[in-house]
Each structure stands twice: as structure tokens, then as C-alpha cells.
Amino acid sequence: MSKTELEILEEKKIELINDLAATATVMDEIWKYHPDNPKKVDIIVEYESLKSLQADIEREINELGI
């Protein structure tokens, strides 16, 4: 059964709304580090924290021995 023009338009609208939500999510994440944000996160400190977390997770994986 082929889709009607209305169904095609509704699907396109849903895709666009999802794209808009994804864009807003990325913008929120980037704002954390933006120079104009008075409460910005220090990206160097954050990066080092993530590297440490990554190492901890890798260590835990290796300790599982599977």
C-alpha cells in the first residue's frame, strides 16, 4: 500500500522535529563550554576527567577476564 501525501508530510515533520530536538541537545551540551557562558565548564579539566573515567572503565573491563 502506498503512502498518501499527508502521511509523507507527517513523516517529514516528525523527522524535522527529531532533528530540531537533537540540535537543541547538542547546543545545550556545547553551551556548557561556550566562552560567553558565565558558568562554563573548563574543557581541559573536563577532558582530563573523562580520560580518567575511560581508564577506570577499561580497567574494570580487563578485570572481568572474559
Side-chain angles (χ1 to χ4, degrees):
M1 182 161 91
S2 69
K3 295 179 183 177
T4 66
E5 188 174 335
L6 179 59
E7 289 172 324
I8 293 169
L9 290 173
E10 287 174 342
E11 287 177 1
K12 180 65 177 175
K13 183 177 180 180
I14 290 168
E15 287 176 22
L16 290 170
I17 290 170
N18 288 338
D19 289 347
L20 185 59
T23 300
T25 299
V26 171
M27 288 175 70
D28 286 345
E29 189 63 29
I30 289 174
W31 179 248
K32 290 180 184 179
Y33 309 97
H34 195 285
D36 291 340
N37 181 353
K39 298 179 182 177
K40 69 179 172 270
V41 174
D42 183 330
I43 195 156
I44 295 170
V45 171
E46 184 70 12
Y47 186 79
E48 291 303 316
S49 174
L50 288 170
K51 281 181 21 181
S52 177
L53 179 60
Q54 178 185 24
D56 290 346
I57 293 169
E58 289 171 347
R59 186 172 29 260
E60 264 190 80
I61 290 170
N62 289 332
E63 287 174 359
L64 290 175
I66 302 175

